[in-house]
Amino acid sequence: MIRSSLQNPVTQLSTPFSPKAPSILATNLIKSYLRKGSVKEARLVFDEMPQRDVVAWTAMVEGYTSCNQHNQSWVLFYEMVRNEVVPNAFTFSSVLKACKGMMALSCGALVHGLAIKHGMEGNIYVENSVMDMYATCCASMEDACRVFRDICVKNAVSWTTLITGFTHRGDGYMGIQVFKKMLQEDAELNPFSFSIAVRACASIGLRTSGRQIQAAVIKCGFESNLAVMNSVLDMYCRFGCLPEANQCFLEISEKNLITWNTLIAGYQRLDSSECLRLFSQMESQGLSPNCFTFSSVTAGCADLAVLACGQQLWKVLSYQHLAKRMKVDSLEEKNLVYNIFASRFDLVSTKANITERKREEFEEEFVFLEECNIARFKAN
């Protein structure tokens, strides 16, 4: 039905409006499939199109990239160029993201050259993508900085991309320097700029700069942005400034699981008793823990050598929350549980302690414990 609709021309109707061309309808259908993650269905529609314009090609290239099928995106872009379809700015941006995803510097450099050939120099959308690709794929930030300097009118994405590039490489100092220059030039600020700048401070322990950035967050009106405040909370936890972290936590009106996990992990490193209290409070709020919660709380039990609490946590979390709510059944997560308990507790004693009670009452623990054992060595 799709094929016949695409191949049969649409006749002009005697109504006041004209119907959309088949190529436009097909492209809209492709985009609709891709928004739902139905890549195969989108490709079927694309392959059945008798004529494909740059919009259809770009939609498919962008769709592959957004679905993390970076190799397919690159192959399709290559086919597009071979068919002498001239890419537009959105095409270049999408395929550059694919090159970044593949960590393919050579491919990214080819796309950069092709973009220059087609007159895309000065296009902020393309240049930001080129800079992001170089910041991720190159051995140094030199090429990314060169592209950044050549951008005549930089926007928030340009600045944030450069800060992110330095920070993700572990160079938080340069990330902070770029952020300060961004403020000096009165550049447009967005929540992500602050989040990544706060992360840069946390990575190198710059407490004074971190507090200054928090003040700037409030000044710019981003104190209600959850992502930004979660980053500030994480920064104080990493600094070991638990009073400031707790105050920040209390000021967040709508907390999510990341908020709770961040504070729980922060207290686990310095005050395991408070870590367990926070976990109990989180539970009372109706939030379901994930593997990060489980890791922090289990380590907290181990730090306090609270074997009874750890066994209770084993029962409550391992199956009621992890198995039923989180669908945790991967080998990696079982290894995580095993490693924590095996390194902190005498696993044999734990198993023997359970054995002293009614086995049927603790059947789930036996099953889970055996699975953990199998993950490391054959069960005895």
Side-chain angles (χ1 to χ4, degrees):
M1 186 175 76
I2 294 175
R3 185 182 288 108
S4 61
S5 299
L6 295 176
Q7 292 177 346
N8 293 332
V10 179
T11 58
Q12 182 70 36
L13 301 178
S14 58
T15 54
F17 63 91
S18 298
K20 293 183 178 180
S23 61
I24 298 177
L25 293 173
T27 302
N28 289 338
L29 183 58
I30 289 171
K31 291 179 179 179
S32 178
Y33 274 131
L34 291 170
R35 278 194 294 269
K36 297 177 181 178
S38 304
V39 181
K40 291 183 180 179
E41 290 79 359
R43 184 58 190 261
L44 284 174
V45 176
F46 179 81
D47 289 339
E48 290 178 358
M49 293 178 69
Q51 294 181 337
R52 309 181 191 108
D53 59 11
V54 63
V55 179
W57 283 96
T58 301
M60 201 65 226
V61 170
E62 184 180 8
Y64 276 130
T65 302
S66 62
C67 293
N68 295 320
Q69 297 187 21
H70 304 303
N71 289 325
Q72 291 296 327
S73 178
W74 171 254
V75 170
L76 191 66
F77 176 78
Y78 178 82
E79 185 180 344
M80 175 185 180
V81 174
R82 192 177 59 183
N83 280 271
E84 299 183 348
V85 179
V86 179
N88 60 24
F90 298 103
T91 322
F92 282 117
S93 178
S94 297
V95 76
L96 283 165
K97 290 177 183 176
C99 294
K100 171 188 170 183
M102 295 187 297
M103 292 297 291
L105 177 60
S106 58
C107 294
L110 286 173
V111 174
H112 185 196
L114 191 61
I116 295 173
K117 179 180 177 181
H118 286 288
M120 291 294 169
E121 278 188 302
N123 186 295
I124 190 67
Y125 198 65
V126 175
E127 289 185 327
N128 283 341
S129 298
V130 170
M131 179 170 55
D132 188 30
M133 184 273 298
Y134 282 137
T136 304
C137 299
C138 288
S140 71
M141 288 290 292
E142 183 179 349
D143 288 333
C145 289
R146 177 176 50 80
V147 174
F148 178 80
R149 288 192 297 267
D150 290 342
I151 299 176
C152 297
V153 182
K154 303 170 180 64
N155 62 9
V157 177
S158 310
W159 288 96
T160 305
T161 299
L162 194 64
I163 297 169
T164 304
F166 280 116
T167 304
H168 284 177
R169 289 172 177 270
D171 192 352
Y173 176 78
M174 279 304 301
I176 293 300
Q177 296 308 306
V178 174
F179 181 74
K180 288 181 178 179
K181 189 175 181 181
M182 181 182 183
L183 294 176
Q184 291 170 0
E185 297 192 10
D186 292 325
E188 176 191 357
L189 296 166
N190 61 21
F192 192 69
S193 306
F194 281 105
S195 293
I196 196 65
V198 169
R199 189 183 305 176
C201 289
S203 68
I204 55 176
L206 288 177
R207 298 190 184 189
T208 302
S209 296
R211 290 189 175 97
Q212 290 173 346
I213 292 176
Q214 185 188 10
V217 166
I218 297 171
K219 181 180 178 180
C220 294
F222 290 123
E223 69 272 17
S224 59
N225 185 283
L226 185 57
V228 174
M229 295 312 295
N230 280 343
S231 296
V232 173
L233 176 63
D234 178 63
M235 176 189 70
Y236 282 127
C237 287
R238 289 176 184 271
F239 290 163
C241 300
L242 295 184
E244 290 91 337
N246 195 56
Q247 182 61 36
C248 178
F249 177 81
L250 293 174
E251 291 174 357
I252 299 175
S253 55
E254 295 184 7
K255 305 171 180 64
N256 61 8
L257 186 58
I258 295 174
T259 313
W260 285 95
N261 279 349
T262 301
L263 192 63
I264 288 171
Y267 271 102
Q268 183 273 315
R269 289 190 286 268
L270 297 172
D271 186 350
S272 295
S273 297
E274 183 64 13
C275 163
L276 300 183
R277 190 195 68 80
L278 283 168
F279 170 70
S280 178
Q281 186 180 347
M282 187 194 83
E283 283 276 280
S284 68
Q285 298 292 322
L287 288 171
S288 300
N290 60 14
C291 59
F292 298 104
T293 324
F294 190 34
S295 174
S296 297
V297 177
T298 306
C301 291
D303 290 336
L304 294 171
V306 186
L307 183 58
C309 183
Q311 289 169 340
Q312 182 182 4
L313 182 65
W314 187 300
K315 178 177 177 60
V316 174
L317 281 180
S318 64
Y319 274 95
Q320 290 184 12
H321 293 302
L322 293 183
K324 295 179 183 177
R325 298 186 189 179
M326 296 168 48
K327 310 296 184 186
V328 170
D329 55 5
S330 69
L331 180 61
E332 290 78 11
E333 284 158 338
K334 289 172 184 174
N335 269 327
L336 170 66
V337 176
Y338 180 90
N339 286 335
I340 292 171
F341 272 88
S343 62
R344 308 284 185 126
F345 290 129
D346 183 349
L347 196 58
V348 177
S349 299
T350 303
K351 187 174 179 181
N353 185 273
I354 295 174
T355 309
E356 292 175 359
R357 311 186 190 187
K358 295 180 180 179
R359 181 183 176 97
E360 59 271 16
E361 182 182 352
F362 294 94
E363 186 62 33
E364 291 180 339
E365 283 83 344
F366 271 102
V367 174
F368 187 62
L369 186 59
E370 290 303 326
E371 288 177 346
C372 289
N373 279 325
I374 292 171
R376 291 287 299 226
F377 49 82
K378 294 181 180 180
N380 55 27

